Amino acid sequence: DADVTQTPRNRITKTGKRIMLECSQTKGHDRMYWYRQDPGLGLRLIYYSFDVKDINKGEISDGYSVSRQAQAKFSLSLESAIPNQTALYFCATSDFGQNQPQHFGDGTRLSIL
Amino acid sequence: ILNVEQSPQSLHVQEGDSTNFTCSFPSSNFYALHWYRWETAKSPEALFVMTLNGDEKKKGRISATLNTKEGYSYLYIKGSQPEDSATYLCAFGRDDNQGGKLIFGQGTELSVKP
């Protein structure tokens, strides 16, 4: 079983729909992250959470919201999806500190028509 | 805005060639530099995390060096094999009391032909 699991793996939906991407982890890490990847760009941070009561905006949080339901679960929502949110989304986890590697899920490919 | 730049954007080599690519990052407030390997249809996997100026890390045929004073890291692959084909990402961790937050470069896409 994967240590970091993302659901769904693929999703096609229409403009204006509400979408939730879910991430769960069995690594016991406090820190969790949501990134999006677009062709030609690096991974860009959407939101991150350092523990259950902590939520922080990343560099591209507009149009997204998150919920940290438990240490193991971190979900990303698009309240009203728009086509330029079509991208590959990754969830990641890590231990404390920038010297700890991040562990990624397999990604969710989201297409908004 | 902090920029992390990787060069080249893509690289095509023959099996057996040795290759290297560069990650440039801000030289101030350095905390850590990460390298990740990302194969198509898979998730990025950590290769190295380096924290000290002059650090050198090695894993099999892949090695990395770090110069924090001038803000660059090199990743080397000796005797490239087709299975080395992947996108290699670097990421910069800044010493700003936001431990764990990384800024990623756009990646170097390596293709190794048999």
Side-chain angles (χ1 to χ4, degrees), chain B residues 82-102:
Chain B
E83 57 264 31
D84 295 327
S85 296
T87 296
Y88 291 84
L89 299 168
C90 71
F92 167 70
R94 187 176 176 216
D95 183 11
D96 59 1
N97 296 318
Q98 296 186 41
K101 190 173 119 176
L102 298 176

Side-chain angles (χ1 to χ4, degrees), chain A residues 43-85:
Chain A
L43 294 170
R44 292 184 293 165
L45 185 63
I46 306 172
Y47 271 96
Y48 60 105
S49 168
F50 286 168
D51 64 43
V52 175
K53 298 178 182 179
D54 178 74
I55 299 289
N56 303 281
K57 291 183 178 180
E59 60 180 298
I60 53 163
S61 59
D62 286 349
Y64 300 95
S65 62
V66 291
S67 173
R68 185 80 185 267
Q69 303 94 321
Q71 187 208 36
K73 295 184 183 296
F74 191 36
S75 58
L76 175 72
S77 293
L78 289 69
E79 296 300 325
S80 179
I82 56 176
N84 74 3
Q85 291 177 312

Side-chain angles (χ1 to χ4, degrees), chain B:
Chain B
I1 297 175
L2 299 175
N3 282 328
V4 178
E5 300 287 339
Q6 291 187 245
S7 62
Q9 281 195 310
S10 64
L11 196 53
H12 300 265
V13 302
Q14 291 293 131
E15 181 175 356
D17 289 349
S18 292
T19 187
N20 66 86
F21 20 94
T22 306
C23 173
S24 300
F25 52 86
S27 56
S28 59
N29 301 110
F30 175 86
Y31 192 95
L33 193 284
H34 297 224
W35 281 101
Y36 292 83
R37 169 193 162 88
W38 181 19
E39 289 182 74
T40 303
K42 295 187 178 181
S43 56
E45 291 185 350
L47 285 171
F48 307 114
V49 180
M50 295 184 287
T51 58
L52 298 176
N53 185 43
D55 251 357
E56 292 187 25
K57 300 271 187 177
K58 187 174 181 182
K59 184 181 291 188
R61 293 178 293 97
I62 304 176
S63 60
T65 61
L66 178 68
N67 183 323
T68 61
K69 295 187 186 304
E70 296 183 38
Y72 64 85
S73 175
Y74 293 137
L75 188 79
Y76 300 91
I77 302 178
K78 184 177 179 182
S80 303
Q81 299 297 307
E83 57 264 31
D84 295 327
S85 296
T87 296
Y88 291 84
L89 299 168
C90 71
F92 167 70
R94 187 176 176 216
D95 183 11
D96 59 1
N97 296 318
Q98 296 186 41
K101 190 173 119 176
L102 298 176
I103 300 165
F104 281 82
Q106 78 277 28
T108 292
E109 186 177 356
L110 175 66
S111 174
V112 183
K113 291 187 177 180

